[in-house]
Amino acid sequence: MELPLGLALATPDVVLEGVDERLMKYVEHLALVHQLLFGRQLTITSGKEGKHVQNSFHERGLAVDLRTVDKDAEEQLLFMTIISFSAPAQSVAVFDERSTHDAKHVHLEFHGA
């Protein structure tokens, strides 16, 4: 899969094949905004691969994780504000996992019909 402008994978092991097209379209648009604002690519840290909780949306291709640790506090605030305002209109739920065991990312899940 060729990645769109502004999007990067954390490792070659990240699997985007089978991730819902609507979720990926949102992430692609988010990547363009990210590139314009921060001058660097938006990094996907997880797609369908990896170990996740039982019945995870990742396994079904309905979730991705996006890196946040590469941003300072002000950049993280701006990034999270943009996601918080834009995601609901795209049927995407946002889980800010920066305060959990893995403080390096935000989790996006697609809940559209």
Side-chain angles (χ1 to χ4, degrees), residues 14-101:
V14 174
V15 176
L16 296 180
E17 294 294 329
V19 173
D20 188 275
E21 287 181 34
R22 297 161 292 184
L23 176 58
M24 283 308 300
K25 188 57 71 179
Y26 172 66
V27 172
E28 289 173 23
H29 287 113
L30 194 57
L32 291 174
V33 172
H34 188 277
Q35 183 76 40
L36 287 169
L37 289 173
F38 307 119
R40 58 187 177 274
Q41 295 175 312
L42 176 62
T43 302
I44 298 176
T45 60
S46 185
K48 287 191 71 171
E49 82 300 329
K51 294 182 180 180
H52 301 280
V53 297
Q54 187 174 4
N55 299 318
S56 168
F57 275 51
H58 282 280
E59 295 170 0
R60 298 175 11 214
L62 296 173
V64 295
D65 295 333
L66 304 176
R67 179 173 288 158
T68 56
V69 73
D70 61 341
K71 297 164 197 54
D72 64 28
E74 289 179 350
E75 290 173 333
Q76 286 190 35
L77 178 61
L78 178 57
F79 183 60
M80 293 306 296
T81 300
I82 290 166
I83 292 174
S84 296
F85 278 100
S86 62
Q90 302 302 314
S91 301
V92 174
V94 179
F95 297 90
D96 185 354
E97 295 185 346
R98 294 176 299 161
S99 63
T100 66
H101 66 283

